[in-house]
Amino acid sequence: QVQLVQSGAEVKKPGASVRISCKASGYRFISYSIHWVRQAPGQGLDWMAKVTPTNGDTDYAQKFQGRVSMTRDLSTNTVYMDVSGLTSEDTAMYFCARGTIDDFFDFWGQGTLVSVSS
Amino acid sequence: SYDLTQPPSVSVSPGQTARITCSGDVLAKNYAHWYQQKSGQAPVLLIYKDTQRPPGIHERFSGSKSGTVVALTITGAQVDDEAVYHCSSTDVSGHHRGAFGGGTKLTVL
């Protein structure tokens, strides 16, 4: 069965960076894009970025460009997202999700909580 | 702000029909999709491509579309359907980026 398993919760200080991982299993990894969506406390979903595992191409929401970087490891079917220059506004739950050709997300990771506090 | 507009909340009694709308110009030419998110959990795909249900989703959940407005209808809502419902589509860039509404909290009581 399709599974996306994310890394554990992180606590960071302002200005620090964080790396979150998303390990995929149960399907052909290169056949689907992987997206990151974040959800601030009590807020809606906010699309951040995506990677195409086949060629490693990435795309980022304008508000995150220059501060977010996605990579993938074909040997372990894992996608990574690095976020730099953290502020308290980056405190949120971060979800990875499998993207389809029609732009919906059919499977989601369990979420990774990133807390930014001095 | 969000690319798609949803009402913040909808409330119905058990057994009634709940209807949640989502509007946005991008919907005129692109599919809409719906996700159910229960408290403390990840979103779950509920409806895709405006009207399609994934395997395992109950038939009381249905989707419809008219122009730039889509709707999620829950026929015979149950207490267990209490959740936040998010609509999504692609953004206006043409790069297949995600776009979401702000979410609608459904209360069934």
mmCIF file of all heavy atoms in Angstrom, chain A residues 39 43-46 108, chain B residues 2 4 6 20 22 33-38 41 43-44 46-47 72 83-88 100-104:
data_model
loop_
_atom_site.group_PDB
_atom_site.id
_atom_site.type_symbol
_atom_site.label_atom_id
_atom_site.label_comp_id
_atom_site.label_asym_id
_atom_site.label_seq_id
_atom_site.Cartn_x
_atom_site.Cartn_y
_atom_site.Cartn_z
ATOM 1 N N GLN A 39 0.701 23.909 7.190
ATOM 2 C CA GLN A 39 -0.516 24.360 7.860
ATOM 3 C C GLN A 39 -0.121 25.003 9.183
ATOM 4 O O GLN A 39 0.281 24.313 10.129
ATOM 5 C CB GLN A 39 -1.470 23.179 8.083
ATOM 6 C CG GLN A 39 -2.813 23.569 8.633
ATOM 7 C CD GLN A 39 -3.772 22.400 8.652
ATOM 8 O OE1 GLN A 39 -3.392 21.264 8.920
ATOM 9 N NE2 GLN A 39 -5.050 22.659 8.361
ATOM 10 N N GLN A 43 -4.924 27.339 10.907
ATOM 11 C CA GLN A 43 -5.067 27.926 9.575
ATOM 12 C C GLN A 43 -5.336 26.863 8.515
ATOM 13 O O GLN A 43 -5.386 25.667 8.810
ATOM 14 C CB GLN A 43 -3.796 28.701 9.211
ATOM 15 C CG GLN A 43 -3.446 29.812 10.177
ATOM 16 C CD GLN A 43 -4.532 30.871 10.244
ATOM 17 O OE1 GLN A 43 -4.967 31.407 9.222
ATOM 18 N NE2 GLN A 43 -4.984 31.175 11.452
ATOM 19 N N GLY A 44 -5.497 27.316 7.278
ATOM 20 C CA GLY A 44 -5.719 26.410 6.162
ATOM 21 C C GLY A 44 -4.425 25.847 5.605
ATOM 22 O O GLY A 44 -3.348 26.029 6.182
ATOM 23 N N LEU A 45 -4.546 25.171 4.477
ATOM 24 C CA LEU A 45 -3.396 24.543 3.837
ATOM 25 C C LEU A 45 -2.731 25.526 2.876
ATOM 26 O O LEU A 45 -3.404 26.296 2.183
ATOM 27 C CB LEU A 45 -3.854 23.297 3.078
ATOM 28 C CG LEU A 45 -4.561 22.235 3.919
ATOM 29 C CD1 LEU A 45 -5.110 21.125 3.038
ATOM 30 C CD2 LEU A 45 -3.614 21.674 4.978
ATOM 31 N N ASP A 46 -1.409 25.467 2.822
ATOM 32 C CA ASP A 46 -0.628 26.418 2.034
ATOM 33 C C ASP A 46 0.383 25.624 1.215
ATOM 34 O O ASP A 46 1.298 25.014 1.772
ATOM 35 C CB ASP A 46 0.075 27.387 2.988
ATOM 36 C CG ASP A 46 0.643 28.620 2.297
ATOM 37 O OD1 ASP A 46 0.379 28.804 1.088
ATOM 38 O OD2 ASP A 46 1.341 29.408 2.967
ATOM 39 N N TRP A 108 -1.083 11.327 1.613
ATOM 40 C CA TRP A 108 -0.401 12.331 2.419
ATOM 41 C C TRP A 108 0.457 11.667 3.483
ATOM 42 O O TRP A 108 0.116 10.586 3.986
ATOM 43 C CB TRP A 108 -1.425 13.224 3.114
ATOM 44 C CG TRP A 108 -2.257 14.059 2.191
ATOM 45 C CD1 TRP A 108 -3.193 13.628 1.289
ATOM 46 C CD2 TRP A 108 -2.255 15.488 2.095
ATOM 47 N NE1 TRP A 108 -3.741 14.697 0.634
ATOM 48 C CE2 TRP A 108 -3.199 15.853 1.113
ATOM 49 C CE3 TRP A 108 -1.541 16.492 2.744
ATOM 50 C CZ2 TRP A 108 -3.445 17.178 0.766
ATOM 51 C CZ3 TRP A 108 -1.786 17.819 2.414
ATOM 52 C CH2 TRP A 108 -2.728 18.156 1.428
ATOM 53 N N TYR B 2 -6.142 33.231 0.414
ATOM 54 C CA TYR B 2 -6.200 31.981 -0.311
ATOM 55 C C TYR B 2 -6.718 32.209 -1.722
ATOM 56 O O TYR B 2 -7.474 33.145 -1.994
ATOM 57 C CB TYR B 2 -7.086 30.988 0.440
ATOM 58 C CG TYR B 2 -6.549 30.639 1.810
ATOM 59 C CD1 TYR B 2 -7.026 31.277 2.949
ATOM 60 C CD2 TYR B 2 -5.544 29.683 1.960
ATOM 61 C CE1 TYR B 2 -6.523 30.965 4.208
ATOM 62 C CE2 TYR B 2 -5.045 29.367 3.214
ATOM 63 C CZ TYR B 2 -5.536 30.005 4.335
ATOM 64 O OH TYR B 2 -5.035 29.699 5.567
ATOM 65 N N LEU B 4 -8.705 30.252 -3.357
ATOM 66 C CA LEU B 4 -10.084 29.808 -3.456
ATOM 67 C C LEU B 4 -10.837 30.248 -2.211
ATOM 68 O O LEU B 4 -10.254 30.343 -1.128
ATOM 69 C CB LEU B 4 -10.134 28.281 -3.599
ATOM 70 C CG LEU B 4 -9.368 27.721 -4.804
ATOM 71 C CD1 LEU B 4 -9.295 26.199 -4.727
ATOM 72 C CD2 LEU B 4 -10.035 28.151 -6.106
ATOM 73 N N GLN B 6 -13.862 29.760 0.524
ATOM 74 C CA GLN B 6 -14.798 28.860 1.188
ATOM 75 C C GLN B 6 -15.419 29.573 2.383
ATOM 76 O O GLN B 6 -14.777 30.435 2.984
ATOM 77 C CB GLN B 6 -14.081 27.612 1.728
ATOM 78 C CG GLN B 6 -13.409 26.734 0.717
ATOM 79 C CD GLN B 6 -12.729 25.542 1.395
ATOM 80 O OE1 GLN B 6 -11.528 25.335 1.264
ATOM 81 N NE2 GLN B 6 -13.524 24.741 2.095
ATOM 82 N N ILE B 20 -21.074 22.514 1.151
ATOM 83 C CA ILE B 20 -19.941 23.427 1.324
ATOM 84 C C ILE B 20 -19.492 23.895 -0.053
ATOM 85 O O ILE B 20 -19.236 23.084 -0.940
ATOM 86 C CB ILE B 20 -18.765 22.722 2.044
ATOM 87 C CG1 ILE B 20 -19.218 22.244 3.425
ATOM 88 C CG2 ILE B 20 -17.575 23.661 2.163
ATOM 89 C CD1 ILE B 20 -18.194 21.364 4.137
ATOM 90 N N CYS B 22 -17.106 26.362 -2.769
ATOM 91 C CA CYS B 22 -15.738 26.817 -3.006
ATOM 92 C C CYS B 22 -15.742 27.557 -4.337
ATOM 93 O O CYS B 22 -16.231 27.014 -5.344
ATOM 94 C CB CYS B 22 -14.804 25.617 -3.040
ATOM 95 S SG CYS B 22 -13.109 25.938 -3.567
ATOM 96 N N HIS B 33 -10.820 19.733 -6.216
ATOM 97 C CA HIS B 33 -10.673 18.524 -5.411
ATOM 98 C C HIS B 33 -10.991 18.880 -3.966
ATOM 99 O O HIS B 33 -10.842 20.030 -3.544
ATOM 100 C CB HIS B 33 -9.241 17.988 -5.513
ATOM 101 C CG HIS B 33 -8.664 18.091 -6.889
ATOM 102 N ND1 HIS B 33 -9.107 17.334 -7.940
ATOM 103 C CD2 HIS B 33 -7.685 18.901 -7.384
ATOM 104 C CE1 HIS B 33 -8.424 17.669 -9.033
ATOM 105 N NE2 HIS B 33 -7.572 18.616 -8.713
ATOM 106 N N TRP B 34 -11.432 17.884 -3.198
ATOM 107 C CA TRP B 34 -11.815 18.114 -1.804
ATOM 108 C C TRP B 34 -11.072 17.160 -0.881
ATOM 109 O O TRP B 34 -10.880 15.984 -1.216
ATOM 110 C CB TRP B 34 -13.317 17.894 -1.618
ATOM 111 C CG TRP B 34 -14.179 18.915 -2.279
ATOM 112 C CD1 TRP B 34 -14.738 18.853 -3.525
ATOM 113 C CD2 TRP B 34 -14.609 20.164 -1.720
ATOM 114 N NE1 TRP B 34 -15.477 19.986 -3.769
ATOM 115 C CE2 TRP B 34 -15.422 20.799 -2.675
ATOM 116 C CE3 TRP B 34 -14.394 20.804 -0.487
ATOM 117 C CZ2 TRP B 34 -16.012 22.046 -2.454
ATOM 118 C CZ3 TRP B 34 -14.976 22.035 -0.271
ATOM 119 C CH2 TRP B 34 -15.786 22.651 -1.248
ATOM 120 N N TYR B 35 -10.709 17.674 0.290
ATOM 121 C CA TYR B 35 -10.022 16.886 1.305
ATOM 122 C C TYR B 35 -10.759 17.042 2.625
ATOM 123 O O TYR B 35 -11.244 18.122 2.958
ATOM 124 C CB TYR B 35 -8.568 17.346 1.471
ATOM 125 C CG TYR B 35 -7.795 17.323 0.173
ATOM 126 C CD1 TYR B 35 -7.791 18.418 -0.668
ATOM 127 C CD2 TYR B 35 -7.108 16.183 -0.224
ATOM 128 C CE1 TYR B 35 -7.123 18.393 -1.875
ATOM 129 C CE2 TYR B 35 -6.429 16.144 -1.424
ATOM 130 C CZ TYR B 35 -6.447 17.252 -2.254
ATOM 131 O OH TYR B 35 -5.781 17.220 -3.452
ATOM 132 N N GLN B 36 -10.807 15.963 3.368
ATOM 133 C CA GLN B 36 -11.355 15.986 4.721
ATOM 134 C C GLN B 36 -10.197 15.911 5.706
ATOM 135 O O GLN B 36 -9.320 15.059 5.563
ATOM 136 C CB GLN B 36 -12.276 14.776 4.922
ATOM 137 C CG GLN B 36 -12.870 14.674 6.312
ATOM 138 C CD GLN B 36 -13.529 13.323 6.542
ATOM 139 O OE1 GLN B 36 -12.877 12.289 6.543
ATOM 140 N NE2 GLN B 36 -14.846 13.318 6.717
ATOM 141 N N GLN B 37 -10.190 16.795 6.672
ATOM 142 C CA GLN B 37 -9.143 16.774 7.682
ATOM 143 C C GLN B 37 -9.772 16.767 9.070
ATOM 144 O O GLN B 37 -10.327 17.774 9.517
ATOM 145 C CB GLN B 37 -8.202 17.968 7.534
ATOM 146 C CG GLN B 37 -7.008 17.896 8.482
ATOM 147 C CD GLN B 37 -6.054 19.071 8.329
ATOM 148 O OE1 GLN B 37 -6.450 20.171 7.935
ATOM 149 N NE2 GLN B 37 -4.775 18.855 8.632
ATOM 150 N N LYS B 38 -9.678 15.652 9.734
ATOM 151 C CA LYS B 38 -10.151 15.565 11.104
ATOM 152 C C LYS B 38 -9.075 16.092 12.042
ATOM 153 O O LYS B 38 -7.903 16.150 11.687
ATOM 154 C CB LYS B 38 -10.534 14.129 11.434
ATOM 155 C CG LYS B 38 -11.741 13.648 10.615
ATOM 156 C CD LYS B 38 -12.227 12.280 11.037
ATOM 157 C CE LYS B 38 -13.476 11.909 10.239
ATOM 158 N NZ LYS B 38 -14.010 10.574 10.631
ATOM 159 N N GLN B 41 -5.158 15.222 12.398
ATOM 160 C CA GLN B 41 -4.809 14.238 11.378
ATOM 161 C C GLN B 41 -4.415 14.926 10.065
ATOM 162 O O GLN B 41 -4.652 16.113 9.866
ATOM 163 C CB GLN B 41 -5.982 13.292 11.127
ATOM 164 C CG GLN B 41 -6.380 12.473 12.345
ATOM 165 C CD GLN B 41 -7.507 11.501 12.047
ATOM 166 O OE1 GLN B 41 -7.774 11.169 10.883
ATOM 167 N NE2 GLN B 41 -8.172 11.040 13.090
ATOM 168 N N PRO B 43 -4.776 15.540 5.999
ATOM 169 C CA PRO B 43 -5.919 15.543 5.073
ATOM 170 C C PRO B 43 -6.049 14.209 4.357
ATOM 171 O O PRO B 43 -5.070 13.490 4.138
ATOM 172 C CB PRO B 43 -5.568 16.665 4.092
ATOM 173 C CG PRO B 43 -4.608 17.544 4.835
ATOM 174 C CD PRO B 43 -3.822 16.606 5.690
ATOM 175 N N VAL B 44 -7.289 13.909 3.975
ATOM 176 C CA VAL B 44 -7.602 12.701 3.209
ATOM 177 C C VAL B 44 -8.372 13.128 1.963
ATOM 178 O O VAL B 44 -9.320 13.922 2.050
ATOM 179 C CB VAL B 44 -8.459 11.727 4.039
ATOM 180 C CG1 VAL B 44 -8.960 10.571 3.176
ATOM 181 C CG2 VAL B 44 -7.668 11.205 5.235
ATOM 182 N N LEU B 46 -11.051 13.273 -0.686
ATOM 183 C CA LEU B 46 -12.472 12.931 -0.582
ATOM 184 C C LEU B 46 -13.143 12.892 -1.958
ATOM 185 O O LEU B 46 -13.930 11.995 -2.261
ATOM 186 C CB LEU B 46 -13.156 13.984 0.301
ATOM 187 C CG LEU B 46 -14.462 13.653 0.993
ATOM 188 C CD1 LEU B 46 -14.279 12.511 1.971
ATOM 189 C CD2 LEU B 46 -14.973 14.903 1.719
ATOM 190 N N ILE B 47 -12.870 13.897 -2.756
ATOM 191 C CA ILE B 47 -13.415 14.036 -4.107
ATOM 192 C C ILE B 47 -12.291 14.572 -4.996
ATOM 193 O O ILE B 47 -11.570 15.490 -4.587
ATOM 194 C CB ILE B 47 -14.594 15.035 -4.152
ATOM 195 C CG1 ILE B 47 -15.765 14.556 -3.293
ATOM 196 C CG2 ILE B 47 -15.047 15.288 -5.597
ATOM 197 C CD1 ILE B 47 -16.534 13.376 -3.862
ATOM 198 N N LEU B 72 -19.293 20.660 -2.306
ATOM 199 C CA LEU B 72 -19.223 19.348 -1.687
ATOM 200 C C LEU B 72 -20.530 19.152 -0.931
ATOM 201 O O LEU B 72 -20.885 19.994 -0.103
ATOM 202 C CB LEU B 72 -18.039 19.270 -0.731
ATOM 203 C CG LEU B 72 -17.960 18.015 0.140
ATOM 204 C CD1 LEU B 72 -17.630 16.799 -0.708
ATOM 205 C CD2 LEU B 72 -16.936 18.200 1.259
ATOM 206 N N ALA B 83 -15.358 17.781 10.701
ATOM 207 C CA ALA B 83 -13.985 17.906 10.225
ATOM 208 C C ALA B 83 -13.857 19.264 9.530
ATOM 209 O O ALA B 83 -14.843 19.999 9.375
ATOM 210 C CB ALA B 83 -13.639 16.795 9.224
ATOM 211 N N VAL B 84 -12.642 19.571 9.113
ATOM 212 C CA VAL B 84 -12.423 20.715 8.236
ATOM 213 C C VAL B 84 -12.311 20.185 6.809
ATOM 214 O O VAL B 84 -11.605 19.198 6.563
ATOM 215 C CB VAL B 84 -11.156 21.497 8.615
ATOM 216 C CG1 VAL B 84 -10.916 22.636 7.625
ATOM 217 C CG2 VAL B 84 -11.274 22.045 10.025
ATOM 218 N N TYR B 85 -13.029 20.813 5.905
ATOM 219 C CA TYR B 85 -13.027 20.403 4.514
ATOM 220 C C TYR B 85 -12.319 21.470 3.681
ATOM 221 O O TYR B 85 -12.658 22.648 3.736
ATOM 222 C CB TYR B 85 -14.459 20.168 4.029
ATOM 223 C CG TYR B 85 -15.085 18.971 4.705
ATOM 224 C CD1 TYR B 85 -15.687 19.084 5.954
ATOM 225 C CD2 TYR B 85 -15.027 17.709 4.110
ATOM 226 C CE1 TYR B 85 -16.222 17.980 6.593
ATOM 227 C CE2 TYR B 85 -15.566 16.600 4.740
ATOM 228 C CZ TYR B 85 -16.160 16.739 5.982
ATOM 229 O OH TYR B 85 -16.686 15.627 6.621
ATOM 230 N N HIS B 86 -11.322 21.022 2.932
ATOM 231 C CA HIS B 86 -10.516 21.934 2.122
ATOM 232 C C HIS B 86 -10.767 21.668 0.644
ATOM 233 O O HIS B 86 -10.760 20.511 0.214
ATOM 234 C CB HIS B 86 -9.024 21.719 2.363
ATOM 235 C CG HIS B 86 -8.586 21.790 3.786
ATOM 236 N ND1 HIS B 86 -8.232 22.986 4.406
ATOM 237 C CD2 HIS B 86 -8.431 20.822 4.730
ATOM 238 C CE1 HIS B 86 -7.869 22.748 5.637
ATOM 239 N NE2 HIS B 86 -7.980 21.447 5.873
ATOM 240 N N CYS B 87 -10.984 22.724 -0.136
ATOM 241 C CA CYS B 87 -11.024 22.548 -1.580
ATOM 242 C C CYS B 87 -9.666 22.939 -2.146
ATOM 243 O O CYS B 87 -8.920 23.711 -1.535
ATOM 244 C CB CYS B 87 -12.124 23.367 -2.233
ATOM 245 S SG CYS B 87 -11.929 25.159 -2.144
ATOM 246 N N SER B 88 -9.345 22.376 -3.305
ATOM 247 C CA SER B 88 -8.079 22.724 -3.943
ATOM 248 C C SER B 88 -8.224 22.663 -5.448
ATOM 249 O O SER B 88 -9.151 22.057 -5.983
ATOM 250 C CB SER B 88 -6.940 21.801 -3.485
ATOM 251 O OG SER B 88 -6.972 20.573 -4.195
ATOM 252 N N PHE B 100 -5.262 26.301 -2.558
ATOM 253 C CA PHE B 100 -6.258 25.832 -1.592
ATOM 254 C C PHE B 100 -7.202 26.944 -1.186
ATOM 255 O O PHE B 100 -6.872 28.134 -1.294
ATOM 256 C CB PHE B 100 -5.565 25.302 -0.325
ATOM 257 C CG PHE B 100 -4.809 24.033 -0.515
ATOM 258 C CD1 PHE B 100 -3.449 24.056 -0.769
ATOM 259 C CD2 PHE B 100 -5.451 22.808 -0.423
ATOM 260 C CE1 PHE B 100 -2.735 22.881 -0.941
ATOM 261 C CE2 PHE B 100 -4.744 21.623 -0.593
ATOM 262 C CZ PHE B 100 -3.387 21.660 -0.856
ATOM 263 N N GLY B 101 -8.367 26.533 -0.707
ATOM 264 C CA GLY B 101 -9.247 27.443 -0.010
ATOM 265 C C GLY B 101 -8.850 27.481 1.456
ATOM 266 O O GLY B 101 -7.950 26.745 1.889
ATOM 267 N N GLY B 102 -9.507 28.327 2.228
ATOM 268 C CA GLY B 102 -9.155 28.475 3.625
ATOM 269 C C GLY B 102 -9.683 27.380 4.534
ATOM 270 O O GLY B 102 -9.349 27.345 5.716
ATOM 271 N N GLY B 103 -10.492 26.486 3.976
ATOM 272 C CA GLY B 103 -11.056 25.409 4.776
ATOM 273 C C GLY B 103 -12.393 25.790 5.386
ATOM 274 O O GLY B 103 -12.613 26.956 5.731
ATOM 275 N N THR B 104 -13.283 24.814 5.512
ATOM 276 C CA THR B 104 -14.602 25.008 6.124
ATOM 277 C C THR B 104 -14.773 24.002 7.247
ATOM 278 O O THR B 104 -14.663 22.791 7.030
ATOM 279 C CB THR B 104 -15.721 24.800 5.095
ATOM 280 O OG1 THR B 104 -15.587 25.751 4.041
ATOM 281 C CG2 THR B 104 -17.091 24.941 5.755
#
